[in-house]
PDB file of all heavy atoms in Angstrom:
ATOM      1  N   VAL A  37      87.645 141.373 116.003  1.00 92.00           N
ATOM      2  CA  VAL A  37      88.042 141.677 117.423  1.00 92.00           C
ATOM      3  C   VAL A  37      86.969 142.090 118.313  1.00 92.00           C
ATOM      4  O   VAL A  37      86.982 141.994 119.524  1.00 92.00           O
ATOM      5  CB  VAL A  37      89.158 142.768 117.413  1.00 92.00           C
ATOM      6  CG1 VAL A  37      88.576 144.109 116.986  1.00 92.00           C
ATOM      7  CG2 VAL A  37      89.876 142.844 118.704  1.00 92.00           C
ATOM      8  N   GLU A  38      85.832 142.545 117.747  1.00 94.00           N
ATOM      9  CA  GLU A  38      84.662 142.883 118.557  1.00 94.00           C
ATOM     10  C   GLU A  38      84.149 141.767 119.374  1.00 94.00           C
ATOM     11  O   GLU A  38      83.574 141.983 120.446  1.00 94.00           O
ATOM     12  CB  GLU A  38      83.517 143.490 117.686  1.00 94.00           C
ATOM     13  CG  GLU A  38      82.758 142.555 116.808  1.00 94.00           C
ATOM     14  CD  GLU A  38      83.515 142.199 115.522  1.00 94.00           C
ATOM     15  OE1 GLU A  38      84.618 142.731 115.278  1.00 94.00           O
ATOM     16  OE2 GLU A  38      82.997 141.286 114.818  1.00 94.00           O
ATOM     17  N   LEU A  39      84.286 140.561 118.852  1.00 95.00           N
ATOM     18  CA  LEU A  39      83.784 139.343 119.649  1.00 95.00           C
ATOM     19  C   LEU A  39      84.666 139.129 120.816  1.00 95.00           C
ATOM     20  O   LEU A  39      84.236 138.462 121.808  1.00 95.00           O
ATOM     21  CB  LEU A  39      83.742 138.151 118.722  1.00 95.00           C
ATOM     22  CG  LEU A  39      82.636 138.169 117.587  1.00 95.00           C
ATOM     23  CD1 LEU A  39      82.790 136.884 116.780  1.00 95.00           C
ATOM     24  CD2 LEU A  39      81.350 138.269 118.198  1.00 95.00           C
ATOM     25  N   VAL A  40      85.983 139.497 120.825  1.00 94.00           N
ATOM     26  CA  VAL A  40      86.780 139.403 121.983  1.00 94.00           C
ATOM     27  C   VAL A  40      86.186 140.238 123.144  1.00 94.00           C
ATOM     28  O   VAL A  40      86.188 139.726 124.364  1.00 94.00           O
ATOM     29  CB  VAL A  40      88.227 139.852 121.705  1.00 94.00           C
ATOM     30  CG1 VAL A  40      89.121 139.767 122.962  1.00 94.00           C
ATOM     31  CG2 VAL A  40      88.829 138.962 120.560  1.00 94.00           C
ATOM     32  N   GLU A  41      85.682 141.406 122.820  1.00 93.00           N
ATOM     33  CA  GLU A  41      85.092 142.256 123.847  1.00 93.00           C
ATOM     34  C   GLU A  41      83.824 141.666 124.351  1.00 93.00           C
ATOM     35  O   GLU A  41      83.499 141.652 125.550  1.00 93.00           O
ATOM     36  CB  GLU A  41      84.825 143.673 123.248  1.00 93.00           C
ATOM     37  CG  GLU A  41      86.074 144.388 122.797  1.00 93.00           C
ATOM     38  CD  GLU A  41      87.116 144.510 123.842  1.00 93.00           C
ATOM     39  OE1 GLU A  41      86.719 144.760 125.071  1.00 93.00           O
ATOM     40  OE2 GLU A  41      88.307 144.358 123.576  1.00 93.00           O
ATOM     41  N   SER A  42      83.054 140.995 123.491  1.00 94.00           N
ATOM     42  CA  SER A  42      81.799 140.319 123.913  1.00 94.00           C
ATOM     43  C   SER A  42      82.144 139.130 124.861  1.00 94.00           C
ATOM     44  O   SER A  42      81.442 138.954 125.852  1.00 94.00           O
ATOM     45  CB  SER A  42      81.015 139.790 122.688  1.00 94.00           C
ATOM     46  OG  SER A  42      80.624 140.822 121.795  1.00 94.00           O
ATOM     47  N   TRP A  43      83.281 138.437 124.541  1.00 95.00           N
ATOM     48  CA  TRP A  43      83.694 137.284 125.335  1.00 95.00           C
ATOM     49  C   TRP A  43      84.077 137.773 126.759  1.00 95.00           C
ATOM     50  O   TRP A  43      83.760 137.231 127.751  1.00 95.00           O
ATOM     51  CB  TRP A  43      84.785 136.575 124.644  1.00 95.00           C
ATOM     52  CG  TRP A  43      85.548 135.639 125.525  1.00 95.00           C
ATOM     53  CD1 TRP A  43      85.092 134.450 125.994  1.00 95.00           C
ATOM     54  CD2 TRP A  43      86.871 135.778 126.038  1.00 95.00           C
ATOM     55  NE1 TRP A  43      86.057 133.790 126.721  1.00 95.00           N
ATOM     56  CE2 TRP A  43      87.187 134.591 126.817  1.00 95.00           C
ATOM     57  CE3 TRP A  43      87.855 136.800 125.922  1.00 95.00           C
ATOM     58  CZ2 TRP A  43      88.388 134.466 127.472  1.00 95.00           C
ATOM     59  CZ3 TRP A  43      89.052 136.596 126.585  1.00 95.00           C
ATOM     60  CH2 TRP A  43      89.310 135.435 127.353  1.00 95.00           C
ATOM     61  N   LYS A  44      84.804 138.937 126.780  1.00 93.00           N
ATOM     62  CA  LYS A  44      85.273 139.457 128.026  1.00 93.00           C
ATOM     63  C   LYS A  44      84.116 139.867 128.923  1.00 93.00           C
ATOM     64  O   LYS A  44      84.147 139.725 130.106  1.00 93.00           O
ATOM     65  CB  LYS A  44      86.189 140.666 127.827  1.00 93.00           C
ATOM     66  CG  LYS A  44      87.564 140.324 127.241  1.00 93.00           C
ATOM     67  CD  LYS A  44      88.351 141.628 127.031  1.00 93.00           C
ATOM     68  CE  LYS A  44      89.707 141.400 126.456  1.00 93.00           C
ATOM     69  NZ  LYS A  44      90.484 142.655 126.219  1.00 93.00           N
ATOM     70  N   ALA A  45      82.999 140.430 128.262  1.00 92.00           N
ATOM     71  CA  ALA A  45      81.890 140.883 129.003  1.00 92.00           C
ATOM     72  C   ALA A  45      80.951 139.881 129.432  1.00 92.00           C
ATOM     73  O   ALA A  45      80.384 139.850 130.522  1.00 92.00           O
ATOM     74  CB  ALA A  45      81.160 141.995 128.138  1.00 92.00           C
ATOM     75  N   ASN A  46      80.802 138.843 128.638  1.00 92.00           N
ATOM     76  CA  ASN A  46      79.569 137.827 128.801  1.00 92.00           C
ATOM     77  C   ASN A  46      80.150 136.443 129.156  1.00 92.00           C
ATOM     78  O   ASN A  46      79.334 135.580 129.472  1.00 92.00           O
ATOM     79  CB  ASN A  46      78.753 137.801 127.584  1.00 92.00           C
ATOM     80  CG  ASN A  46      78.185 139.176 127.312  1.00 92.00           C
ATOM     81  OD1 ASN A  46      77.780 139.860 128.148  1.00 92.00           O
ATOM     82  ND2 ASN A  46      78.184 139.525 125.919  1.00 92.00           N
ATOM     83  N   GLY A  47      81.443 136.165 128.975  1.00 91.00           N
ATOM     84  CA  GLY A  47      81.967 134.856 129.215  1.00 91.00           C
ATOM     85  C   GLY A  47      81.701 133.905 128.005  1.00 91.00           C
ATOM     86  O   GLY A  47      81.316 134.360 126.965  1.00 91.00           O
ATOM     87  N   GLY A  48      81.887 132.617 128.215  1.00 93.00           N
ATOM     88  CA  GLY A  48      81.805 131.639 127.166  1.00 93.00           C
ATOM     89  C   GLY A  48      83.207 131.229 126.732  1.00 93.00           C
ATOM     90  O   GLY A  48      84.150 131.418 127.478  1.00 93.00           O
ATOM     91  N   ASN A  49      83.317 130.642 125.532  1.00 95.00           N
ATOM     92  CA  ASN A  49      84.648 130.180 125.020  1.00 95.00           C
ATOM     93  C   ASN A  49      84.906 130.875 123.737  1.00 95.00           C
ATOM     94  O   ASN A  49      84.008 131.174 122.878  1.00 95.00           O
ATOM     95  CB  ASN A  49      84.586 128.710 124.805  1.00 95.00           C
ATOM     96  CG  ASN A  49      84.637 127.943 126.137  1.00 95.00           C
ATOM     97  OD1 ASN A  49      84.684 128.465 127.231  1.00 95.00           O
ATOM     98  ND2 ASN A  49      84.546 126.575 126.036  1.00 95.00           N
ATOM     99  N   VAL A  50      86.192 131.110 123.460  1.00 97.00           N
ATOM    100  CA  VAL A  50      86.590 131.925 122.275  1.00 97.00           C
ATOM    101  C   VAL A  50      87.841 131.292 121.673  1.00 97.00           C
ATOM    102  O   VAL A  50      88.775 130.815 122.339  1.00 97.00           O
ATOM    103  CB  VAL A  50      86.829 133.420 122.603  1.00 97.00           C
ATOM    104  CG1 VAL A  50      88.008 133.649 123.519  1.00 97.00           C
ATOM    105  CG2 VAL A  50      86.932 134.240 121.395  1.00 97.00           C
ATOM    106  N   TRP A  51      87.851 131.364 120.316  1.00 97.00           N
ATOM    107  CA  TRP A  51      89.043 130.959 119.523  1.00 97.00           C
ATOM    108  C   TRP A  51      89.462 132.184 118.674  1.00 97.00           C
ATOM    109  O   TRP A  51      88.651 132.670 117.857  1.00 97.00           O
ATOM    110  CB  TRP A  51      88.736 129.745 118.625  1.00 97.00           C
ATOM    111  CG  TRP A  51      89.875 129.459 117.643  1.00 97.00           C
ATOM    112  CD1 TRP A  51      91.194 129.783 117.791  1.00 97.00           C
ATOM    113  CD2 TRP A  51      89.763 128.678 116.451  1.00 97.00           C
ATOM    114  NE1 TRP A  51      91.930 129.286 116.653  1.00 97.00           N
ATOM    115  CE2 TRP A  51      91.046 128.595 115.799  1.00 97.00           C
ATOM    116  CE3 TRP A  51      88.642 128.040 115.784  1.00 97.00           C
ATOM    117  CZ2 TRP A  51      91.229 127.976 114.617  1.00 97.00           C
ATOM    118  CZ3 TRP A  51      88.880 127.457 114.531  1.00 97.00           C
ATOM    119  CH2 TRP A  51      90.120 127.345 113.995  1.00 97.00           C
ATOM    120  N   ILE A  52      90.673 132.634 118.905  1.00 97.00           N
ATOM    121  CA  ILE A  52      91.202 133.790 118.200  1.00 97.00           C
ATOM    122  C   ILE A  52      92.265 133.297 117.239  1.00 97.00           C
ATOM    123  O   ILE A  52      93.302 132.765 117.743  1.00 97.00           O
ATOM    124  CB  ILE A  52      91.770 134.911 119.121  1.00 97.00           C
ATOM    125  CG1 ILE A  52      90.688 135.303 120.170  1.00 97.00           C
ATOM    126  CG2 ILE A  52      92.321 136.054 118.341  1.00 97.00           C
ATOM    127  CD1 ILE A  52      91.218 136.178 121.252  1.00 97.00           C
TER     128      ILE A  52
END
Side-chain angles (χ1 to χ4, degrees):
V37 69
E38 72 281 355
L39 291 180
V40 177
E41 299 305 318
S42 298
W43 167 71
K44 289 179 180 178
N46 304 317
N49 289 358
V50 67
W51 172 23
I52 304 170

